[in-house]
Amino acid sequence: MTSVPEIQIADGVRIPQLGFGVYQVPPEATEEAVTTALEVGYRHIDTAQMYGNEQGVGDALKASGLNRDEVFVTSKLNNGFHRRDAALRAAEQSVERLGGPMDLFLIHWPLPTIDVDYLETWQAMIEIRDAGLTRAIGVSNFQIPHLERIIAETGVTPAVNQIEVHPYLTNEAVRAYDAEHGIATEAWSPIAQGAVLGDPTIAAIAERLGRTTAQVTLRWHVQRGDIVFPKSVTRSRVEENFQLFDFELTDEDVRAIAALNRDHRTGPDPDTFDYIPA
Ligand code: NAD
């Protein structure tokens, strides 16, 4: 069994660098998908209030027989709950669905064009952590000005920033800011929802190493120091995506894959995204 490295993200909090994401896993299929991931060996699950499947994650954890402190669980505050009181209530509901305190809780989107100030939301996140509802707090989809503002105003630096990163969107400026400020970068849609899997540069490296293009891409993230949690509900792929720690890319491979960047987003632009679920 390959062992997954851990990264220190806050005082006493360590996160496995590889996890399992459940975006777009239907609620009724989530318990089974997470059970499979835990059987394969994943010990880090990434969910969100917006995905509607926290209960399935909680049910799988309970059924697994694992101690709650053996699995790292992240959830994210939904966009409609940015005001202080709503954020606290929403965090309590996540804890209930997940069957215990979270390890990491993130503001899912900054919503900078919306009338609720994400600074109020970040202050609420600090309260949520201090109340013991989560061990660490962070943000997702925060751009540099958003990070600068919450750090300057509160003196509290997010433990992580979860942003879209893959070979077609290397997001270097935000990653560099994160690194300079001790913020761990989590790379969402690490294989660009499959869009990079047919890339000829990645395919040539994969062929040389006798690996799949998904494994090479995920290994590239790992060697750059980012945290990843690919999503799949197919057991063979869940297994494939876990086999990343028994081979290595050369520095030249890492550079060649980074050079594929074309600033292509598969998801929304954080500066303009303003979706609030009904
Ligand atoms: P991903 O890059 O992990 O790609 C998932 C897609 O690739 C699925 O369709 C899957 O079937 C396919 N796939 C997975 N492994 C494969 C393999 N080995 N071979 C071939 N195809 C494979 O995309 P994602 O699900 O969007 O992102 C991963 C996780 O990131 C999500 O589950 C979620 O936890 C997180 N995420 C966060 C945000 C955010 O705003 N914070 C946004 C999107 C995703």
Side-chain angles (χ1 to χ4, degrees):
M1 178 114 128
T2 53
S3 84
V4 175
E6 291 186 330
I7 292 177
Q8 168 118 4
I9 56 164
D11 277 351
V13 183
R14 297 172 67 80
I15 185 171
Q17 196 180 5
L18 172 66
F20 181 71
V22 295
Y23 175 47
Q24 290 176 331
V25 179
E28 64 281 4
T30 302
E31 181 177 353
E32 191 184 336
V34 173
T35 298
T36 300
L38 295 173
E39 282 169 7
V40 169
Y42 292 79
R43 291 293 180 267
H44 164 188
I45 310 294
D46 186 271
T47 183
Q49 294 171 350
M50 198 187 287
Y51 306 164
N53 57 19
E54 288 174 311
Q55 189 63 55
V57 174
D59 290 346
L61 290 170
K62 200 167 160 202
S64 72
L66 290 163
N67 285 330
R68 191 47 203 79
D69 64 3
E70 290 179 86
V71 186
F72 191 101
V73 181
T74 300
S75 192
K76 314 183 193 89
L77 180 72
N78 210 342
N79 289 351
F81 305 137
H82 272 211
R83 291 219 182 270
R84 179 207 174 259
D85 292 358
L88 266 99
R89 225 175 11 251
E92 282 164 7
Q93 287 167 352
S94 282
V95 168
E96 203 161 301
R97 287 188 288 262
L98 293 165
M102 296 171 277
D103 295 288
L104 178 63
F105 193 46
L106 309 178
I107 302 178
H108 204 150
W109 290 90
L111 308 178
T113 65
I114 289 193
D115 204 19
V116 184
D117 192 337
Y118 56 82
L119 177 59
E120 173 178 337
T121 317
W122 183 240
Q123 285 160 337
M125 295 294 279
I126 297 167
E127 280 190 64
I128 286 165
R129 180 196 61 190
D130 292 348
L133 300 172
T134 182
R135 296 166 68 216
I137 49 173
V139 295
S140 179
N141 301 301
F142 270 47
Q143 305 277 51
I144 293 170
H146 312 141
L147 294 165
E148 281 175 336
R149 181 147 176 262
I150 60 170
I151 295 168
E153 297 280 344
T154 67
V156 178
T157 302
V160 316
N161 186 18
Q162 183 178 128
I163 54 174
E164 182 176 350
V165 184
H166 46 71
Y168 293 165
L169 178 74
T170 52
N171 225 332
E172 300 302 359
V174 181
R175 289 180 71 251
Y177 182 93
D178 287 351
E180 276 161 31
H181 292 81
I183 302 167
T185 296
E186 297 191 328
W188 65 251
S189 292
I191 56 174
Q193 299 205 331
V196 300
L197 297 182
D199 187 276
T201 300
I202 301 173
I205 295 169
E207 195 175 321
R208 192 189 84 229
L209 294 172
R211 296 288 170 156
T212 67
T213 52
Q215 289 172 321
V216 166
T217 306
L218 294 168
R219 178 72 205 180
W220 171 80
H221 287 282
V222 165
Q223 285 187 215
R224 280 158 47 99
D226 291 355
I227 297 159
V228 282
F229 23 81
K231 171 253 167 182
S232 173
V233 291
T234 309
R235 189 179 186 106
S236 59
R237 287 175 173 172
V238 175
E239 287 169 348
E240 174 186 328
N241 295 345
F242 197 66
Q243 300 305 316
L244 306 182
F245 302 101
D246 55 351
F247 74 105
E248 232 178 309
L249 306 178
T250 65
D251 291 346
E252 197 183 321
D253 294 335
V254 173
R255 276 195 299 273
I257 296 172
L260 298 172
N261 178 50
R262 51 191 76 159
D263 292 334
H264 171 75
R265 288 189 186 277
T266 64
D269 183 336
D271 285 320
T272 52
F273 189 59
D274 60 1
Y275 169 71
I276 299 210

